[in-house]
Amino acid sequence: MCGIVGILNSNSLKTESIDILKKLEYRGYDSAGLSLFSQKRIKTIKSVGKISALEKKIKSISDKPFDGVIGHTRWATHGVVSRNNAHPFYDDNLTLVCNGIIENYVKIQKFYKEIPNDIESDTEVAFYFLSYLLNKYSNPDSALKIFKKTIKGNYAFVIYIKKNKSFYLLKSGSPISLSQNKKIFYVCSDSSILSDYHDKIYHLKDNDFLKINKDKIINLKNNEPIIFEKNLKSLNSYDKGTFQHFMLKEIHEQPNVLKDTQQRYDKEYFLDFDTKFSDLVNSDKIILVGCGTAYHAAMIGEYYFNKLTSCDVSCEHASELRYKKLPNKKCLFIFISQSGETMDTLMALKYVKKNSHKAVVITNSLQSTMVREADLTIPTYAKKEVGVASTKAFTCQILSLANLSLQIGKIDKSINISQYNKYLKSLKSLPTKLNKLINDFTPVAKKISKKIALADACYFIGRNIGYPIALEGSLKLKEISYMHSEGFAGGEMKHGPIALIDKGTITICIIPNNELYEKSLSNTQEILARNGRVVILSSLILKKNSGTLDTPQLPKENFIDTPFIYTIPLQLISYYFALSEGTDIDQPRNLAKSVTVE
Ligand code: M6R
């Protein structure tokens, strides 16, 4: 994971690198550091924690004598969170930062006695290895070639070598892009950030090995010139406005971004659906793939496709799919990813492409690596999502899947035109419905969050399309509040999980008014019978039994809008509970927004 930045020949190295690192903080915030360098010296400053801590430390340093800077924000993989394990790793001649994982670092460490054997960080091992090679070979390019040949894994390195005053970029798997304007260069692991600086960009390809010396760039991979392309202007906003947290702002933005996304689908994207998406319509099997919240969107997509189309559909965790044998049928894989950079999803996408299947990506990041790798992109227009906990990107993904399944269902005649129109109408009326829901439910969420504060654990149950909603509710709660939580399929409780229930637990029961509501109510009774406490979210008017803490009534739903109507209250409950717990809601412990390691 981690975010990396490099700047050459700008007049404001310090301010710009800190600015970019702050924008990269979503990739990890365990520690941060930067190296300012010139032909004469390398000055490195590192600190544990967020970029603001680093910013304070470098206040008194002048960047005037320096020609360039490399910086890093870390999400720890190998080695504890500490100043020592923070990047850059440096000596008098060399400084480097890395995003990714060096898989064979243990072998390298064992093989070269020059590398200390008590190092835990894979990048630090790589640093000692390169430093050793630079001492051994007089030509730094030769040392780097051996370095590149030896290390294995998914990584992006930014390296400065004082001896030949050169700046190197190495890529294998992890994203890294370069922009240039005359003598000024910017390097970043998030290309959308670079559009604030330059409008031309080069996305490094796997095995690229760039050397920048003065204003010259050479690709040591093949000595071919690199070709810059136009960088799309990003609409990223890093402003919380009047909200206390990005997460709350993003919850409130949902009606608007869903409206935008639906309008774009109606006016441009899903016009001529059958020609544009003939692969979707003609494949033998559809497999929906994602990680975390995006996987929950995939599960909801599976219920949509299953009910509204005649497609053979299933879903997979990206991290599992990559190591499975793929079906022999003509499959269409739909990858779902807010960032378009999640390594598990990206590797799964590359794997299915290598096996000659078609890949569609539903993503919120049009400049991402997945967009460049997939056969077709279906954008979501959630705009920048800053909070680590995904909210508006998730509901836009569901909207995308709802539209896709409606279109396919109409073509394969699984639904008739009046059902199609009815469902489409309810998707279009979501913004008004959700605006009211957010306002009405906020005080209820605050009340429920106080009850959760008294519990030892909080579970979520749901059946059918309510099941992935329960999983998502539980993920949201645990990731931002650290409360122990699980989500279960309601019908599964009696097969084991009900053993967890006692008077110290709260179970939030998702009970939409559908053909399964009576069975769901029975699952709730089974919990109450074991002294568990419950909160029931339903559009039905329900009687409160003893042990039922609350039964807030939600708006009337139908099959297609159920996930939106039940997810938003769960987001609000998690938010207000985490707020009362005083956790770092936008950047919860141990997590990062974009998970770019496997
Ligand atoms: O960028 P992606 O959608 O591929 O990210 C996938 C997951 O890492 C992400 O949804 C994660 O589970 C979020 N923290 C959930 O809130």
Side-chain angles (χ1 to χ4, degrees):
M1 257 133 71
C2 312
I4 50 187
V5 59
I7 305 174
L8 284 182
N9 305 324
S10 152
N11 289 331
S12 35
L13 295 170
K14 225 173 63 174
T15 329
E16 286 177 347
S17 57
I18 288 289
D19 243 31
I20 295 178
L21 282 176
K22 280 187 180 164
K23 292 177 184 168
L24 283 171
E25 211 168 37
Y26 72 89
R27 300 176 81 99
Y29 33 82
D30 287 333
S31 61
L34 46 84
S35 281
L36 290 150
F37 54 81
S38 67
Q39 302 176 5
K40 292 196 186 125
R41 69 184 179 120
I42 295 171
K43 168 116 190 114
T44 301
I45 309 99
K46 312 205 260 190
S47 66
V48 170
K50 298 195 181 178
I51 309 300
S52 49
L54 179 70
E55 194 177 16
K56 275 191 204 136
K57 266 191 154 176
I58 61 168
K59 239 184 189 145
S60 58
I61 296 169
S62 159
D63 58 8
K64 287 235 164 59
F66 298 102
D67 311 321
V69 64
I70 60 178
H72 188 270
T73 178
R74 178 173 188 241
W75 185 82
T77 58
H78 297 64
V80 296
V81 175
S82 68
R83 192 198 160 277
N84 182 63
N85 287 339
H87 302 208
F89 292 99
Y90 63 100
D91 59 23
D92 281 352
N93 177 43
L94 162 71
T95 179
L96 62 78
V97 292
C98 173
N99 169 29
I101 289 181
I102 311 304
E103 284 164 3
N104 60 340
Y105 80 102
V106 175
K107 271 194 197 148
I108 297 176
Q109 190 173 19
K110 278 195 183 140
F111 193 80
Y112 293 94
K113 62 175 182 342
E114 292 77 7
I115 303 176
N117 57 17
D118 57 347
I119 294 176
E120 290 172 348
S121 153
D122 53 340
T123 306
E124 193 174 8
V125 169
F127 163 79
Y128 273 102
F129 178 45
L130 181 57
S131 175
Y132 156 77
L133 294 171
L134 287 167
N135 282 330
K136 184 165 175 198
Y137 297 91
S138 55
N139 179 351
D141 289 1
S142 314
L144 268 153
K145 278 182 187 161
I146 297 170
F147 175 74
K148 183 152 191 340
K149 231 173 151 176
T150 313
I151 54 170
K152 304 269 173 286
N154 282 303
Y155 57 77
F157 274 98
V158 183
I159 301 168
Y160 177 72
I161 297 176
K162 199 175 76 182
K163 182 175 175 189
N164 63 348
K165 305 169 199 83
S166 294
F167 194 70
Y168 294 88
L169 308 178
L170 270 56
K171 171 183 152 94
S172 161
S174 303
I176 181 120
S177 303
L178 168 74
S179 69
Q180 178 190 14
N181 185 7
K182 295 185 185 138
K183 284 188 171 174
I184 302 179
F185 294 88
Y186 289 86
V187 174
C188 189
S189 40
D190 178 341
S191 61
S192 70
I193 294 174
L194 291 183
S195 69
D196 296 343
Y197 297 87
H198 291 148
D199 60 0
K200 290 267 169 52
I201 190 135
Y202 176 71
H203 305 291
L204 272 79
K205 304 189 176 52
D206 276 342
N207 296 318
D208 269 356
F209 182 3
L210 303 190
K211 175 182 177 184
I212 305 174
N213 185 283
K214 297 207 177 113
D215 53 354
K216 280 204 186 66
I217 312 171
I218 316 168
N219 193 349
L220 294 171
K221 173 170 86 175
N222 48 18
N223 292 323
E224 282 175 11
I226 63 167
I227 299 167
F228 284 87
E229 57 187 77
K230 196 164 170 41
N231 199 10
L232 304 171
K233 201 84 208 127
S234 90
L235 300 169
N236 293 346
S237 155
Y238 296 87
D239 184 8
K240 282 201 286 256
T242 53
F243 291 93
Q244 194 176 345
H245 292 98
F246 279 106
M247 182 181 176
L248 189 61
K249 175 177 174 245
E250 288 159 2
I251 291 174
H252 280 257
E253 277 173 350
Q254 290 178 104
N256 275 340
V257 296
L258 287 167
K259 186 171 165 190
D260 268 13
T261 304
Q262 187 62 47
Q263 281 178 351
R264 300 251 204 158
Y265 287 172
D266 293 340
K267 289 196 185 131
E268 1 164 339
Y269 211 77
F270 284 119
L271 283 181
D272 310 322
F273 179 84
D274 8 358
T275 37
K276 235 190 212 157
F277 295 96
S278 57
D279 282 327
L280 271 176
V281 185
N282 295 325
S283 48
D284 299 329
K285 182 163 175 64
I286 293 182
I287 302 178
L288 299 155
V289 190
C291 297
T293 288
Y295 176 71
H296 298 152
M299 288 178 77
I300 289 171
E302 186 185 356
Y303 283 101
Y304 279 156
F305 276 89
N306 184 268
K307 177 149 175 143
L308 303 173
T309 76
S310 52
C311 295
D312 175 7
V313 61
S314 61
C315 59
E316 289 279 354
H317 285 289
S319 53
E320 292 297 318
L321 176 71
R322 199 190 156 193
Y323 302 99
K324 281 188 178 171
K325 210 160 69 198
L326 298 178
N328 284 328
K329 298 175 181 177
K330 185 179 165 205
C331 292
L332 178 87
F333 288 85
I334 303 179
F335 293 89
I336 304 164
S337 174
Q338 187 284 127
S339 61
E341 298 293 350
T342 301
M343 188 56 76
D344 287 320
T345 315
L346 179 61
M347 294 318 264
L349 192 159
K350 287 186 175 173
Y351 173 59
V352 309
K353 291 280 302 170
K354 208 169 156 196
N355 283 278
S356 312
H357 292 286
K358 291 270 185 217
V360 171
V361 60
I362 295 178
T363 184
N364 202 32
S365 313
L366 285 176
Q367 285 132 299
S368 62
T369 313
M370 280 182 218
V371 170
R372 292 193 285 279
E373 297 284 339
D375 297 294
L376 191 94
T377 299
I378 303 179
T380 52
Y381 298 97
K383 304 208 180 100
K384 182 84 184 167
E385 190 178 65
V386 179
V388 163
S390 187
T391 52
K392 59 176 183 168
F394 174 64
T395 43
C396 283
Q397 289 162 352
I398 304 172
L399 188 69
S400 186
L401 292 160
N403 276 277
L404 256 182
S405 45
L406 279 181
Q407 296 289 348
I408 295 179
K410 187 174 74 170
I411 292 174
D412 72 16
K413 301 206 167 27
S414 300
I415 48 172
N416 61 33
I417 196 73
S418 82
Q419 287 168 310
Y420 171 84
N421 285 336
K422 179 187 109 188
Y423 283 140
L424 198 60
K425 192 170 161 211
S426 77
L427 293 179
K428 287 184 189 175
S429 57
L430 269 175
T432 318
K433 216 168 173 179
L434 298 184
N435 252 325
K436 182 166 174 358
L437 174 64
I438 293 172
N439 287 333
D440 293 352
F441 201 83
T442 294
V444 183
K446 290 181 182 168
K447 213 167 79 192
I448 294 174
S449 72
K450 289 200 179 111
K451 297 188 173 152
I452 297 179
L454 303 174
D456 305 325
C458 183
Y459 304 121
F460 293 76
I461 61 168
R463 300 182 81 117
N464 191 264
I465 206 158
Y467 170 42
I469 300 171
L471 293 181
E472 175 57 13
S474 168
L475 177 64
K476 225 61 330 156
L477 188 80
K478 67 175 88 128
E479 74 178 326
I480 62 167
S481 74
Y482 321 143
M483 158 76 105
H484 178 70
S485 176
E486 302 284 341
F488 300 110
E492 276 294 300
M493 286 301 279
K494 56 189 176 293
H495 298 290
I498 203 158
L500 294 168
I501 300 298
D502 64 19
K503 63 178 180 351
T505 63
I506 291 190
T507 304
I508 301 193
C509 309
I510 318 291
I511 310 192
N513 183 5
N514 60 25
E515 61 285 4
L516 286 175
Y517 86 87
E518 282 166 328
K519 289 195 195 302
S520 302
L521 283 173
S522 301
N523 297 145
T524 307
Q525 290 301 334
E526 289 153 12
I527 293 169
L528 288 169
R530 278 138 190 106
N531 297 321
R533 280 140 209 266
V534 300
V535 169
I536 305 176
L537 297 188
S538 180
S539 60
L540 295 156
I541 302 174
L542 296 169
K543 242 189 25 227
K544 251 192 181 183
N545 296 0
S546 79
T548 310
L549 299 173
D550 212 340
T551 54
Q553 202 195 349
L554 297 187
K556 283 205 171 70
E557 74 291 281
N558 58 42
F559 174 69
I560 210 141
D561 65 12
T562 297
F564 303 90
I565 290 173
Y566 285 77
T567 295
I568 288 178
L570 299 182
Q571 295 170 348
L572 286 166
I573 292 172
S574 295
Y575 174 80
Y576 284 107
F577 175 60
L579 188 68
S580 68
E581 292 289 288
T583 58
D584 190 344
I585 292 182
D586 286 331
Q587 296 184 326
R589 71 182 184 201
N590 304 342
L591 296 177
K593 179 79 185 154
S594 188
V595 185
T596 54
V597 291
E598 265 194 274

